[in-house]
Amino acid sequence: MAQSNVGINSEYGDWSWSADAGERARLLQSPCVEVGPRRAEEQGPAATSILGAIFIVVNAALGAGLLNFPAAFSMAGGLAAGIAVQMCMLIFITGGLVILAYCSQASNESTYQEVVWAVCGKVTGILCEVAIAVYTFGTCIAFLIIIGDQQDKIIAALMMESSGAESSPWYADRKFTISITAFLLILPLSVPKEIGFQKYASCLSVIGTWYVTAVIVVKYIWPDPDVIPAEISTSPSSWMSVFNAMPTICFGFQCHVSSVPVFNSMKQPELKPWGVVVTVSMVIALFVYTGTGVCGFLTFGSGVEQDVLLSYPSNDIPVAIARAFIIVCVLTSYPILHFCGRAVLEGLWLRYKGETVEEDVVRERRRRLLQTVTWFLLTLLLALFIPDIGRVISLIGGLAACFIFVFPGLCLIHTKLSEIQEARPASWWALVSYGIFMVTLGAFIFGQTTTHAVFVDLAK
């Protein structure tokens, strides 16, 4: 395909921009809204500086996934194996972010799924949107599990009981606490059509993430005398065990879906400043994740829990504050992830029906409530019966690999193949080969992690 202004829905006709699309079009634009070439006056001022873009990308990369990094290092066979896998993958993770910006320029599209639609075509675009919906659904399940994990410890500390007590009051039951928190706090935040009120949550999320990392590092330097680490592995039991860390690494560093809008919002949406943004951002995320993984693993050894905060005593005050931070971060993050998934499902439905953005307010509200309640109840039900976040991350980590490797690789291949050149230089072949390698690597990680999750983790 030629590198021209291509709209993802051009084959369905031009649909004009509607203000009724609201926040959906700005955060994770549904394919049902404006698709024509973007004029300068429609784009608005691109006011994000390099420093601001770094903050946004770091915030997108850092999250609740860091709680699983110590366990991932343990499953990989120790620090050497875990760090080596992380460093190798980080090269391609950073490369994927640059590729997406390059393809965004070539296709003149401003969101992840729009780029995939424009560059790779209808089938790949639909697969991408389905993957985003499934990924956000799984992440919402993980968030609810995390809430339950932290509440168990906080309630145990407040009741001055050990977490291993044989009996507890009905109101301290995990299923009850997760359900009441979800119904009273998460569901009301998930219903609104727009989520502009969530814009300050990112600052709190970053502060909470850094605090958790600081607590884990300090607790390793000055350990609790009652905490005795289990065996600390120094080498993997088999060469296949190093791949056990991949789902967590992919889940942790996955910020690619939100990176395309960030790139297009910059004052200078060019590859050189964007390269600076992603490099600095990934280095910061690397320090946070590595610090958490190394110190958490060395503190507890192979006995570390899937959620590292569960390994600490219930009555540890600094850790209790970290748990409260995590709960607040997850409470504000669930509605945002749900909003993204709902926007994609809405776009798929409207395209299937051949309709534009809903004009009838009553019909739109009815469908939004149905989507929200169904999504909420399904994630809550699954979270009540899945024992830990490790099993969820092992599944959705494979999808994260698709966003990091497979779709960017396919976009690079299609973009280079669309170029009309009489003679193709070595750089052209090198980029196509790199795209093929990205797709192959991503497909391998997705297949390996998903197979392991289905036949090993879910079979436990």
Side-chain angles (χ1 to χ4, degrees):
M1 58 181 284
Q3 295 184 37
S4 58
N5 295 340
V6 181
I8 59 173
N9 292 314
S10 55
E11 58 188 291
Y12 299 98
D14 292 330
W15 296 341
S16 61
W17 173 267
S18 170
D20 196 42
E23 195 76 16
R24 173 180 57 194
R26 293 190 289 275
L27 177 65
L28 188 75
Q29 186 170 342
S30 174
C32 61
V33 293
E34 188 270 329
V35 295
R38 299 187 304 279
R39 298 188 299 271
E41 60 270 21
E42 292 175 331
Q43 296 182 38
T48 306
S49 64
I50 290 180
L51 186 61
I54 291 173
F55 178 84
I56 296 172
V57 174
V58 169
N59 178 51
L62 297 180
L66 91 164
L67 300 177
N68 192 237
F69 263 74
F73 280 20
S74 176
M75 292 185 294
L79 297 182
I83 294 175
V85 172
Q86 183 178 240
M87 294 300 296
C88 291
M89 292 183 65
L90 191 62
I91 298 173
F92 300 103
I93 290 171
T94 306
L97 290 168
V98 176
I99 289 172
L100 288 170
Y102 171 75
C103 295
S104 176
Q105 282 187 328
S107 62
N108 195 34
E109 301 294 350
S110 60
T111 65
Y112 188 98
Q113 67 270 32
E114 282 183 334
V115 170
V116 176
W117 262 86
V119 176
C120 301
K122 175 182 176 181
V123 174
T124 307
I126 292 176
L127 289 176
C128 176
E129 291 181 328
V130 171
I132 291 175
V134 174
Y135 180 82
T136 52
F137 183 82
T139 305
C140 287
I141 296 173
F143 283 169
L144 291 173
I145 295 173
I146 290 170
I147 290 175
D149 290 343
Q150 311 314 319
Q151 285 180 332
D152 285 348
K153 287 287 188 176
I154 292 176
I155 292 173
L158 293 176
M159 297 178 62
M160 301 180 66
E161 294 179 358
S162 65
S163 58
E166 294 183 1
S167 62
S168 59
W170 62 270
Y171 53 83
D173 181 75
R174 175 189 177 90
K175 293 180 181 178
F176 176 79
T177 57
I178 294 178
S179 300
I180 199 68
T181 302
F183 274 101
L184 293 181
L185 298 176
I186 292 179
L187 182 57
L189 292 174
S190 302
V191 171
K193 185 176 181 179
E194 298 187 1
I195 56 173
F197 61 91
Q198 295 277 5
K199 61 185 177 182
Y200 299 109
S202 61
C203 295
L204 185 61
S205 178
V206 171
I207 294 172
T209 302
W210 279 95
Y211 179 80
V212 171
T213 300
V215 167
I216 293 173
V217 172
V218 170
K219 289 293 180 181
Y220 167 67
I221 299 174
W222 293 285
D224 189 324
D226 296 331
V227 175
I228 300 175
E231 178 186 359
I232 297 178
S233 305
T234 57
S235 61
S237 57
S238 67
W239 71 273
M240 284 295 293
S241 65
V242 299
F243 297 111
N244 294 334
M246 285 187 173
T248 300
I249 295 172
C250 291
F251 180 73
F253 284 95
Q254 198 288 116
C255 56
H256 295 59
V257 174
S258 57
S259 69
V260 180
V262 177
F263 168 74
N264 284 280
S265 72
M266 292 179 63
K267 293 179 180 178
Q268 293 180 302
E270 300 171 358
L271 292 183
K272 187 174 181 180
W274 179 247
V276 174
V277 169
V278 298
T279 301
V280 175
S281 301
M282 292 300 101
V283 169
I284 294 174
L286 175 66
F287 275 107
V288 173
Y289 283 133
T290 303
T292 304
V294 169
C295 294
F297 174 67
L298 292 178
T299 301
F300 300 103
S302 58
V304 66
E305 298 281 354
Q306 291 291 332
D307 180 342
V308 65
L309 292 183
L310 297 182
S311 300
Y312 293 96
S314 300
N315 57 358
D316 191 311
I317 294 178
V319 176
I321 296 174
R323 294 188 181 110
F325 261 122
I326 289 296
I327 290 176
V328 173
C329 293
V330 169
L331 286 175
T332 57
S333 297
Y334 180 106
I336 296 174
L337 265 294
H338 159 260
F339 181 90
C340 295
R342 189 178 71 196
V344 171
L345 292 177
E346 177 78 354
L348 288 171
W349 170 256
L350 291 178
R351 187 185 296 109
Y352 171 75
K353 298 291 290 185
E355 300 176 359
T356 60
V357 174
E358 189 58 70
E359 299 290 342
D360 190 326
V361 176
V362 176
R363 288 179 57 191
E364 184 279 329
R365 183 185 298 116
R366 188 184 302 121
R367 187 168 62 246
R368 170 162 46 88
L369 288 174
L370 177 62
Q371 292 168 346
T372 300
V373 172
T374 303
W375 181 289
F376 171 79
L377 291 177
L378 287 175
T379 55
L380 177 60
L381 183 64
L382 291 170
L384 294 179
F385 295 97
I386 297 177
D388 58 66
I389 60 171
R391 301 190 184 187
V392 179
I393 291 177
S394 65
L395 276 172
I396 61 178
L399 280 176
C402 293
F403 299 133
I404 294 172
F405 302 104
V406 176
F407 291 120
L410 288 173
C411 287
L412 179 61
I413 294 171
H414 281 276
T415 300
K416 300 308 293 183
L417 290 177
S418 68
E419 296 178 355
I420 301 176
Q421 299 179 352
E422 294 183 1
R424 290 173 173 172
S427 60
W428 186 93
W429 290 103
L431 289 174
V432 171
S433 300
Y434 184 78
I436 294 173
F437 179 77
M438 288 273 288
V439 174
T440 305
L441 177 62
F444 169 76
I445 295 174
F446 173 76
Q448 194 275 335
T449 56
T450 304
T451 302
H452 185 274
V454 171
F455 291 102
V456 178
D457 292 337
L458 297 183
K460 291 180 181 178

